[in-house]
Amino acid sequence: VQLQASGGGLVQAGGSLRLSCTASVSETRFIFNIMGWYRQTPGEQREAVARIIGSGENIKYADSVKGRFTISRDNAKNTVYLQMNSLEPEDTAVYFCNVNIWTPQRGSLDVWGQGTQVTVSS
């Protein structure tokens, strides 16, 4: 399983960005238990930003992004998105996508993408 994230960049405060993360899966049978986004700044622990748990009915957001960020998924494309609106300088971080995927061959795996930089200027 490999994750390819894209969509980061530099934006002014109040602006928007959309992150995408596509999973490449070689197995024909699999289930995404969790698809989500985390972020990390230098010297800090990685924190969960938004996660879709299960088939999509259970969505969790960090308090700091509620009302501004929206996570969604496209099952046909094995892709999870993070729409980020009203961006603030405090949102500046490296954003990582993460999936927990189950396959019959390997059971449950936790997989991380390579990270994409989001920089919000004031």
Side-chain angles (χ1 to χ4, degrees):
V1 180
Q2 291 186 327
L3 301 181
Q4 181 65 47
S6 62
L10 173 64
V11 66
Q12 288 188 331
S16 298
L17 284 174
R18 187 194 196 205
L19 305 182
S20 300
C21 178
T22 298
S24 298
V25 187
S26 59
E27 288 86 347
T28 56
R29 287 182 59 211
F30 58 88
I31 297 172
F32 288 115
N33 295 316
I34 302 174
M35 302 184 83
W37 290 93
Y38 289 69
R39 66 187 181 188
Q40 188 171 23
T41 55
E44 299 293 329
Q45 286 192 333
R46 195 170 295 186
E47 66 167 346
V49 175
R51 291 174 293 159
I52 298 177
I53 301 170
S55 60
E57 68 282 356
N58 190 355
I59 296 178
K60 296 185 181 297
Y61 293 99
D63 288 342
S64 59
V65 307
K66 283 180 181 177
R68 300 188 298 121
F69 290 11
T70 302
I71 188 171
S72 61
R73 62 190 280 183
D74 184 331
N75 293 326
K77 297 181 179 179
N78 293 338
T79 299
V80 60
Y81 304 97
L82 185 67
Q83 178 66 44
M84 304 185 294
N85 298 328
S86 302
L87 282 161
E88 303 168 352
E90 293 73 22
D91 295 316
T92 296
V94 178
Y95 284 70
F96 298 88
C97 62
N98 168 266
V99 300
N100 183 277
I101 182 172
W102 177 89
T103 68
Q105 297 85 350
R106 294 185 282 178
S108 291
L109 292 176
D110 213 40
V111 184
W112 291 90
Q114 83 279 16
T116 183
Q117 177 70 46
V118 171
T119 302
V120 185
S121 63
S122 56

